[in-house]
Amino acid sequence: MVQKGCRRVCYFPSWIQKCCGNHYGRDCQVCPGGIESPCNNHGNCSDGILGSGKCTCNKGFKGSACDQCSAGYYGTNCTACDNCGKWGNCDDGIQGSGKCVCRQGWTGENCQLEIPPELCSEYNGGCHQNADCNQTGWTVNCTCQFGFQGDGFFCEPINRCIQEQNGGCSDFASCKFVGPNKRDCECLPGYVGNGVQCLEKVVPPVDRCLQDNGDCDPVATCKDLHYHAKTAGVFHLRSPSGKYKMNFSEADTACTNEGATLASFKQLGDAQQLGMHLCVAGWMDGGKVGYPICFPSLNCGENHVGLVMYRDPVPQSSKYDAYCYRLDDVSCVCPAGFVGDGYFCNGVLMNVLATNSNFSIFYQSLLDYSGSSSEGKELIDFLSHRTSEVTIFVPPNTGFAPNQTLSGRDLEYHISASQNRRTFKDLQNHHVIPTRLGYNLTISLGHNETHKMVNERLVLDWDIPASNGIIHIIEAPLMAPPVRVTISIFLLLMCILAGVGFSIFRRKTDAFRFHYFKVRERERETKLLPQIDCSHISTS
């Protein structure tokens, strides 16, 4: 029987000391690494009232709080290093990279490769002294330096004068070796330039009009176009559309329209030597493109002096200006009162006849005619008058037979009436030309249009101009037709003879008659004389 206030099982309350997790010791201290990450989560903490608080670290970690890497481990996770062999050590530790740090003389990812010695450091690695030594592992590569050639173990200087055609100098220059891959180019005597480009030295032009009037007619005004332009006949031509608007064919045509051709390399070179300086590219003969430079400029030819040439071949469709060469080197102009192209200047017809040796017989016949009659003098004056405008058919000296002469009438028959200038084209079949003699000349055709005849005399040459007419050369002289005797002239002569006869008869009979018979006798004779009216008779 249980007494009141007693229990069958007795309980005695008591206090037991205990630490929370991640705490240790009688004072329940926090494990290394802190409450949140004891042992930095890289190990286990000995916690509890009886714990020591030490961390038992995972593999690869060490330290009181497992915050360091063991030897041979690296990084924040203390990863195991690769095997660096006996010639290297791992860069371990929490801050390490894990790479192998090789000992001197070794290399490679695991320090497995021995580093060869500096072979190029002694005797240039066996290379030539003018070669560059490059070492790859245990292998040495030798390369000749710039300006030298060879296999690297032997290098010799490059002689451009031999390696290239004349060393890259002009064909008109001498090449001199001055060092490895270096040479000097010097133009030969008679040439000028930088050696790479040598132009034939131009002879300073002289005014060709000073000698023989530049081959112009003696009376013409001569002007040397090349001398006065001072560019040896070369001139720059630009399209009316503006700069660089002509391809090659268009440039060629443009020069032709100016009485010129595209300038050659030499012609433009001569112009450059005389002072032509233009920083403008232009077409040249042969499809070349270039321009002349007299003084160095970075903006024009990169300081090159001479002809700056574009590299061949230049596409013919490219657009540039043009450099033309004037074909006519002199200009000849006839003075007023003369006709011709300047290389010949003809004055009036008499002057042309006088100065042409082939017309000397015909010209002398005119002078003889002038000296023997007033009609001849009148004819000379007519041929010398500037407003006559006539056509003369002149036989050459070879057309005259031996000792053949021309009468005044023959000469007048060779000359048309005034204001009858007829060119060769005007001489049409059956065309009639009145002459000063009063008779007509008739044109006929031979085998074709170029075979024309005047009164059956073949026209050999034609259209020789004069300021007051034109001359055609015929194969032989023209002979004037005989004088025409008409009935009117015959009756006139009969009247004259009858009058003379009557006068003689009257004088003979006057001596035998008395004076008082005279009147009656005259009256009778008047009645007996035939009544002939001569007032209407003409001499045509």
Side-chain angles (χ1 to χ4, degrees), residues 30-95:
V30 178
C31 285
I35 298 175
E36 298 297 330
S37 56
C39 298
N40 286 296
N41 293 326
H42 294 142
N44 297 314
C45 178
S46 176
D47 56 3
I49 195 70
L50 298 176
S52 63
K54 292 183 179 181
C55 291
T56 301
C57 298
N58 297 333
K59 185 179 180 180
F61 290 90
K62 70 177 183 176
S64 60
C66 299
D67 55 352
Q68 298 178 17
C69 292
S70 302
Y73 294 84
Y74 70 94
T76 56
N77 294 322
C78 291
T79 304
C81 291
D82 291 335
N83 183 18
C84 292
K86 62 180 180 178
W87 304 111
N89 296 308
C90 177
D91 181 18
D92 55 11
I94 199 75
Q95 300 295 330

Side-chain angles (χ1 to χ4, degrees), residues 376-439:
K377 186 177 184 306
E378 180 183 345
L379 177 60
I380 297 297
D381 292 340
F382 175 74
L383 295 179
S384 301
H385 200 280
R386 295 191 178 279
T387 61
S388 296
E389 293 298 319
V390 296
T391 303
I392 305 182
F393 297 96
V394 180
N397 293 344
T398 56
F400 285 84
N403 301 320
Q404 182 180 3
T405 59
L406 296 179
S407 66
R409 296 183 75 254
D410 293 335
L411 293 171
E412 302 269 3
Y413 195 45
H414 287 76
I415 304 167
S416 74
S418 181
Q419 306 302 315
N420 270 283
R421 181 195 288 256
R422 297 289 185 269
T423 65
F424 184 77
K425 183 179 179 181
D426 296 331
L427 304 180
Q428 301 297 321
N429 196 25
H430 304 306
H431 183 69
V432 173
I433 300 177
T435 68
R436 281 180 54 85
L437 187 61
Y439 292 86

Side-chain angles (χ1 to χ4, degrees), residues 43-245:
N44 297 314
C45 178
S46 176
D47 56 3
I49 195 70
L50 298 176
S52 63
K54 292 183 179 181
C55 291
T56 301
C57 298
N58 297 333
K59 185 179 180 180
F61 290 90
K62 70 177 183 176
S64 60
C66 299
D67 55 352
Q68 298 178 17
C69 292
S70 302
Y73 294 84
Y74 70 94
T76 56
N77 294 322
C78 291
T79 304
C81 291
D82 291 335
N83 183 18
C84 292
K86 62 180 180 178
W87 304 111
N89 296 308
C90 177
D91 181 18
D92 55 11
I94 199 75
Q95 300 295 330
S97 63
K99 294 182 178 179
C100 294
V101 179
C102 300
R103 298 179 186 178
Q104 185 176 1
W106 294 86
T107 186
E109 187 175 353
N110 301 110
C111 300
Q112 76 280 12
L113 301 174
E114 184 178 5
I115 298 176
E118 294 283 343
L119 300 177
C120 292
S121 62
E122 294 185 6
Y123 304 107
N124 200 28
C127 301
H128 191 271
Q129 60 182 357
N130 293 316
D132 294 326
C133 177
N134 296 294
Q135 181 178 344
T136 304
W138 291 88
T139 304
V140 171
N141 294 314
C142 301
T143 306
C144 292
Q145 297 173 354
F146 178 78
F148 293 84
Q149 60 184 357
D151 59 3
F153 296 98
F154 174 78
C155 298
E156 63 178 351
I158 295 175
N159 188 342
R160 290 189 62 186
C161 294
I162 299 176
Q163 294 292 324
E164 304 175 42
Q165 183 177 356
N166 201 29
C169 302
S170 168
D171 292 339
F172 306 104
S174 61
C175 181
K176 181 180 180 182
F177 174 75
V178 294
N181 205 37
K182 295 180 181 179
R183 51 87 175 105
D184 281 343
C185 300
E186 183 176 350
C187 293
L188 299 175
Y191 293 84
V192 296
N194 60 5
V196 177
Q197 182 185 87
C198 294
L199 305 175
E200 186 176 358
K201 189 174 183 180
V202 65
V203 177
V206 296
D207 192 340
R208 276 162 287 196
C209 294
L210 299 178
Q211 182 176 0
D212 297 330
N213 201 33
D215 290 332
C216 298
D217 191 274
V219 301
T221 300
C222 174
K223 181 178 180 181
D224 190 329
L225 302 175
H226 291 189
Y227 175 78
H228 289 283
K230 300 186 185 302
T231 56
V234 175
F235 61 95
H236 167 251
L237 185 63
R238 176 164 291 172
S239 168
S241 302
K243 184 178 181 181
Y244 296 165
K245 296 294 184 180

Side-chain angles (χ1 to χ4, degrees), residues 402-535:
N403 301 320
Q404 182 180 3
T405 59
L406 296 179
S407 66
R409 296 183 75 254
D410 293 335
L411 293 171
E412 302 269 3
Y413 195 45
H414 287 76
I415 304 167
S416 74
S418 181
Q419 306 302 315
N420 270 283
R421 181 195 288 256
R422 297 289 185 269
T423 65
F424 184 77
K425 183 179 179 181
D426 296 331
L427 304 180
Q428 301 297 321
N429 196 25
H430 304 306
H431 183 69
V432 173
I433 300 177
T435 68
R436 281 180 54 85
L437 187 61
Y439 292 86
N440 294 333
L441 298 175
T442 302
I443 307 300
S444 59
L445 299 181
H447 302 295
N448 52 53
E449 286 290 332
T450 61
H451 287 73
K452 298 183 180 182
M453 293 182 287
V454 181
N455 280 22
E456 302 302 321
R457 298 289 193 271
L458 181 65
V459 179
L460 303 178
D461 198 2
W462 49 85
D463 292 347
I464 301 174
S467 61
N468 63 341
I470 196 166
I471 296 174
H472 303 305
I473 302 177
I474 55 177
E475 60 181 340
L478 299 170
M479 307 308 295
V483 179
R484 292 176 295 186
V485 180
T486 63
I487 296 177
S488 299
I489 295 177
F490 177 76
L491 293 177
L492 176 62
L493 292 175
M494 290 297 295
C495 289
I496 294 174
L497 291 175
V500 171
F502 173 74
S503 176
I504 294 173
F505 176 79
R506 188 185 63 179
R507 290 179 180 176
K508 289 183 177 180
T509 56
D510 280 347
F512 302 99
R513 297 183 181 182
F514 292 104
H515 178 71
Y516 60 87
F517 289 119
K518 288 181 179 179
V519 175
R520 183 178 299 174
E521 189 67 20
R522 288 175 183 172
E523 290 176 354
R524 187 178 65 84
E525 290 171 353
T526 301
K527 292 178 181 180
L528 294 176
L529 187 68
Q531 300 298 309
I532 300 175
D533 185 7
C534 297
S535 61

